[in-house]
Amino acid sequence: MPDDLSPRGPETVALTLTVNGASHALRVPAWTTLLDLLREGLGLTGSKKGCDHGQCGACTVILDGKRVNSCLVLAARSDGSEVRTVEGLASPDGALHPLQEAFIKHDAFQCGYCTPGQLCSGVALLQEGHTRTEDEIREWMSGNLCRCGAYPNILAAILEVARKEGRA
Amino acid sequence: MRPFHYERPRALEEAIAGKTEASRFLGGGTNLIDLMKYDVERPASLLDLNRLEGLREVERDREGTLRIGALVSNADAAAHPLVREHHPLLADAILAGATPQLRNMATMGGNLLQRTRCYYFYDRLTPCNKREPGTGCPAKEGVNRIHAILGTSEHCIATHPSDMCVALAALEAVVVVRGPSGERRIRTEDFHRLPGDAPERDTTLDAREVVTAIEIPARLYGRHHTYLKLRDRLSYAFALVSVAVTMEMQEGRVSRLRVALGGVAHKPWRVPEAEALLEGRGPEEARFGAVADRLLQGARGYGHNDFKIGLARLAIARALHQAAAATPQSHVAKRIA
Amino acid sequence: MMHHPLIGTPQDRVDGRAKVTGTARYVADFETGAEVLHAHVLNSAIAIGRIRRIDTTRALAVPGVVEVFTHENRPRTAWFSSSYKDDVGPPGKPLRPLYDSSISYSGEPVALVVAESYETARYAANLVEVEYEAKPHETDLLKQLPNSYVPKKRRSGINPPPRPKGSAASALESAPVKHVARYLIAAEHHNPMEMHATTVIREADGKLLIHDKIQGVYASKQYVCSVFGLSEDKVRVVSPFIGGAFGSGLRPHYQLFLAVMAAMALERSVKLVLTRDQQFTIAHRPETWNEVALGAKPDGTLTAIRHKAIGSTSRYEDHQEAVVNWTNLLYSAPDVQLEYELVQLDIETPTDMRAPGAPLGAFAAESAMDELAEKLGVDPLALRLHNDTQTDEVMNKYHTSKELRAACQLGAERFGWRHRPFAPRSMRQGRELIGWGLAFGAWEAQMQKHAARVMLDAEGHCTVGVATADLGTGTYTILAQIAAEALGLSMNKVTVLLGDSALPQAPVSGGSWTAASAGSAVHDACARLKAELLLAAQTQRGSPLVDAKLEEVMFDRERIVLMRDPMRAVSLQAAFAAGGRPRIVADGQAGPDQLTQLRYSSHTHSAVFVEARVDEELGQVRVTRAVSAVAAGRILNPKTARSQVVGGVVWGIGMALHEEAMADHNLGRWMNHNIAEYHIPAHADIHEIDVIFAEEKDMLTSPLGVKGLGEIGIVGTAAAVANAVWHATGRRVRELPMTIDKVLGLTPAHTEAR
C-alpha cells in the first residue's frame, strides 16, 4: 500500500452534535474520536479512556440510543447525532438515575474508573431488555471490564433496577 | 493515526469512483480506527459509507435467500426476526463475538473485512509480512498461541478472527460486491484467501470494490446447527477454536452437512470431503472423529498453538453432537451443551 | 442514648456520587482544552543494546509539534541514579529515562514527542526514526534458572527467608509420605483501568502542580524534587482519585519524569497519558518458579517443608518479594528450609502487584498441600488444620491474633465443605465435572507512619486531611466514619481530603496498611481535637462539664455529653463560642509500635473455598462459586470491606485461569501487550462470591484493631481454583494460568512432580 508519509497536519471537519441535550456546532480535526472530543474538546471527562482501542468499555456512551465504544467512533462520523454520557444520566435537578442509585447502594465500583462506562452500558442494557437472567446480564455486560472486580455488585445493582422495572 | 482526508460520498457510485488503493471505506470503524491508531492502517482518505442508503436492508426473496445489507450492524443482524427465524446460526455466531457495544458499531461488510489479531501484525515495532511485506514472520518461532494450524505459509501464520464469517462459511453465503465494472458475487470460501506468498492480502476483493450485501441461500437445518466457540475467557475474547455446523436431516439421515472452523486458519476452514463422510448416513457419533480428522488433515502447530489440533478435534466432535441433538450452543449460558 | 455506631456498619462510599456522575477527577481529567500540551512516548523496539542514530526531523516537521526529546537533547537532570530512587524501589539503579543511548529492555522510552494535540503527538511519534545496535538478550526465566542467585542486598520492607531449621533434606529423606513438585506462575501485568498518566500544570510563578497516577503523592513529589533539583515549595502533587493501581502506582514511572521534564523545558503545561500497550512497559508481577517438598507422617503431621522460589528481575534492580515464608507461617514443621532467589533478565523491573509474592508462594504450597492430602488419603482441610501453626514459626513470635480456624469453620459451613466427596471426579452434572477446592492464605498486617489533620468548626463541619490515596479501596469512606464516630457527627458533616502533598504526610498506599495506619492517625487527631474542645467547653461560664475528664465524656450529635449524667452537656456551638475560635485544628499520627513488633507478628488470614465446573471433554473451566472467609481484625465498613475481598477473589480467578504476559524470547518483548489479548476476567467469568469476616479482636496490631484487607482476598484463591480443577477432573495443573490446553493436558508442562 503506498503510504503518504510526508509530515502534515490533519484536515478539519464541521459537525453538529447534541450531547446530553445541549447542541454543539464544532469544527474538529478529522482524526479526532468522539471520546477525545467529549473529553478534551467539550470538557466532559466523565467518559474514560481505558484502552483507546475498544478493549475495555470504559468509554461507553449512548449514541443515538445505542451503546458504543466512543474511542472507536470518529467524531466526524457522529455528525448530527445525539450522545448521552454519564454526565447526562441524572436528571437536570440532580436526582440520580435509578441505576446510579443502585450502584451506590450495592457498592458496584471501587476505583470508579470503569463506572461511567458500566453505567452507560447498564442503562442501555435495561432498554435492550437483556436482563432476564443473571447469565444474560453477565454476558451482555461483558463489554465492560472492571479491574477492581466489582462484577458481582454490578450484577446486583442491575438486577435490582431490572426487577423494579419489571425487566427481570 | 496519520492525517487523512475524510469524505462522505452521497451515493454508492460516488464512493466507488472515489476509491483508490490508498483509501479505505469506513463502516463501523471498530477495526479500521483501531488499526489506524496503531499506525498499522494508514489510509490517505476515508470514505464514510454510513450515510449511504440502500445498504441497511434485511430481506428474504421468494427462493428464501436472505439478503443482508453491508451496513446492517452486527447487533441489528443478530436481532433481526428474519435472521433469527431462518438463520439462527448466524445470529448465534455474531453474538459469540465481541461485545454489545462493538456489535452495535460493527457492520456486516466490515466484519467480513476485519483483519487478524496476530500480535506481530498489531505491533509496528516488530517485523510482519502482512503489515510490511518482506520483513518476516516472527510468529512462527515466537508467541503463536492464537495462530493458525491449517493453510499456513512460510510467510504468515495469522488467523482470521471473525466469528460471523465462520457461520457464513457453513451457510455457504455469497458476498455481493460492487466495483467500477459492476456487481459480482463471491462465495465466502473464495472471498477470504490463504496467506500464500501475499499475506498482505486478506481477501480477493479488488481495491476499488465495496461489499454491498451478504446473501444466504435457504437451508432447512431447523435446530440442527451450532456455533461452538472455545476461548481464553468466557466472553470478550477471540476464538482459539470455533466450529459452525449446519446439519440438514431427512428421515433420520444427514442430507447435507456443512462444517466450518474458526481460529485455525487465515480464512474460515471448510473441507467438503469431511462433510461428505456423514452425508447420506445417520448422525453417528462414532464417525464424528473421522470428520474431524479429515477437516484437520495436514494441520501443523508452531509450538504454543500445537494444542489447537487436539482441541479442534474435540470441538468438532462436540459441535457435531450439538447439531445432531438439536441443542445449539447458547452464547449466554456458558455451560457447553 | 448512644448514637448509632458508624464503625462496623455498612456505609455507602462517600465518594459514590462523584463516581457515578462522572465528576470524580482522575489524572487525565485535569487540564483539558487548548492550553495544555500533549506528549506521546516512543518505546524501544529492542531489548538490549544502544541507539545508534535517532532522527526526529520528520516528527518535528509536523505542524503542531512543539518538541521531540531524546537522549541527545534532553534537558540536564540529576546525574546520579541514586537521585531517581523512591521509597519502595528495590536495590539497584533505577531507570533514568532518556539518560543516554543505552537500552535496558524492550519498551524503554527512547523519545518523547510534545505537540499541541494528543493526536498530533501520537502521529509524529511514528515519524521518529531510530536505528539500534542490538546486543544478545535473555528474557526466558526457565532457561536462566541455573543462574539464579540470592540477592546480595535485601529490599527494605521485605523479609528474606529465615535460616533453615533442622535439616529439611534428611527429614524429607526419611519421611514416610512425601510430595515434591514444581509450580510455575506466568508474569502478569497490573492493568488498572486508568492508564498511567501525568498532567503537569505549570503555574504563572513557575511552580508545578502535578497530577500523577501514584499510590501516594509524596512519592511523586520527592522523586520530582530529587531528580529535577527543585525545592519542596516548587512542587505540589494532587491526585484525588486513582483509577486502580494494585501496586503499579507504588513507584513513580517514566511518564512522570518525562511530563515534568517537558513542562520545565517548554515552560508549558503538559499532559502525558500512556497508551494501554505502554502499560506493559512499566511494571509487572515477575514470572516465578517454585519447588515445594513436603514430608509427613502417615497421620498427616508434617515433618519437613522445603520451598524454594526463583523470581525474575531486571538487570538493573533486584526486585524482591516474600514468596516462600508464608508456607511455614501457615504450617508447622520441625525441619524447614525456605529459599528465595532471583534471575536477571533483560526486562523492565517487576513491581509489587496485589499481595506481591504471597499468591505465588501460596499457589505452590497450597497445591502441594492438596497433593500431599491425596497421597495421605485425608481431607485437605483436615490436613491443613492438623498442621496449622499456633505461633509465627518464621519469625519466632506470637501472633497478635489468628482466628483462621474460626474463619475456616464459617467458610466450610457456608460452602458445604463437609459434603465434599474425597475422590476426584466424583461430582458431575451433564458434561461438566464439578470440583471443590480450598486454600489458606495469609498477609502481613502492617502499620506505617502516617500523619493526619482534622479540623472542626462551630457548625459541626469537619474536614479530615491525609496525603494517602484512595485507590478504590474505600479510604475516603472509612476515614469519614472514623472521624464522624469520634466527634459525634453524622457522615455528611465530614469531608475527607486525600491525595494532596499539601496534606499531612503519608507513604504510598499499599500492602494493606492504609486503613490501620491512616485510620489510626485520624483517630489520634480526633482524640486531640476532642481534648481541646472539652477544654473550650469547660471555659464556658458555669460549664456543666467543668470537672469532666476526657474519658468521662462522649461526643454525640454535635454535643459533648457527660456519660454518667447525660443531662450535663455542652453543644459544639457553645463550646466554640466559649473557646473564642471559629475552628479547631488538631494533628495526629500513627505508626508501628516497636515494642509490640519485637514480640508479636501480625497477619490477616483466610480460607477460600471454590467450586469449579469443567467440561469433561473440552476443558472449559467455570468458577461458579467462591467463599472467602477472612480473619482480619476489626472491619470498619463491611460494605467496602466485602468489595475489597471480592475484588481479590476476582484477581485470584484471573491469576488461575486467564492472566499471562507472553514474551517472544527471540525479540525479548511482551507480545500480548493489550487487554484484548492479555485477558483479565470479564463479567461472564465471575459468578457468586461470598465473603465472611470472622470476628477477631486484636488491639495489638493497630490502635483501631484494624488489620487491612487489600491483599488477603487474592492470596489463596488461585490455589483453591487449581485444587477445585483437580478435584473435578483428577488432573493436576501446576502452571498458571490454567488455560484450556493445560486443563486438557494438550500442552506439555514445564514442571513435573516427583
Side-chain angles (χ1 to χ4, degrees), chain C residues 574-631:
Chain C
F576 272 99
R581 281 184 290 172
R583 62 185 69 87
I584 298 177
V585 179
D587 288 329
Q589 47 195 307
D593 182 289
Q594 264 142 31
L595 274 178
T596 309
Q597 285 187 330
L598 275 178
R599 290 191 65 197
Y600 296 96
S601 80
S602 183
H603 293 87
T604 53
H605 293 90
S606 78
V608 57
F609 303 82
V610 163
E611 175 181 280
R613 290 171 184 249
V614 186
D615 188 279
E616 185 173 8
E617 287 165 13
L618 297 174
Q620 175 187 275
V621 180
R622 303 189 300 134
V623 174
T624 44
R625 208 152 61 86
V627 174
S628 184
V630 173

Side-chain angles (χ1 to χ4, degrees), chain B residues 268-279:
Chain B
W269 193 258
R270 264 193 64 201
V271 178
E273 295 82 355
E275 295 159 355
L277 292 174
L278 270 192
E279 284 171 346

Side-chain angles (χ1 to χ4, degrees), chain C residues 182-185 290 358-368 655 715-716 718-720 722-723 732-736 738:
Chain C
R182 292 166 181 177
Y183 303 86
L184 183 66
I185 303 98
N290 288 267
L360 308 176
F363 169 62
E366 289 294 277
S367 296
M655 175 181 258
V715 178
N723 291 338
R732 176 60 62 177
V733 184
R734 299 192 185 86
E735 291 174 30
L736 298 184
M738 293 182 283

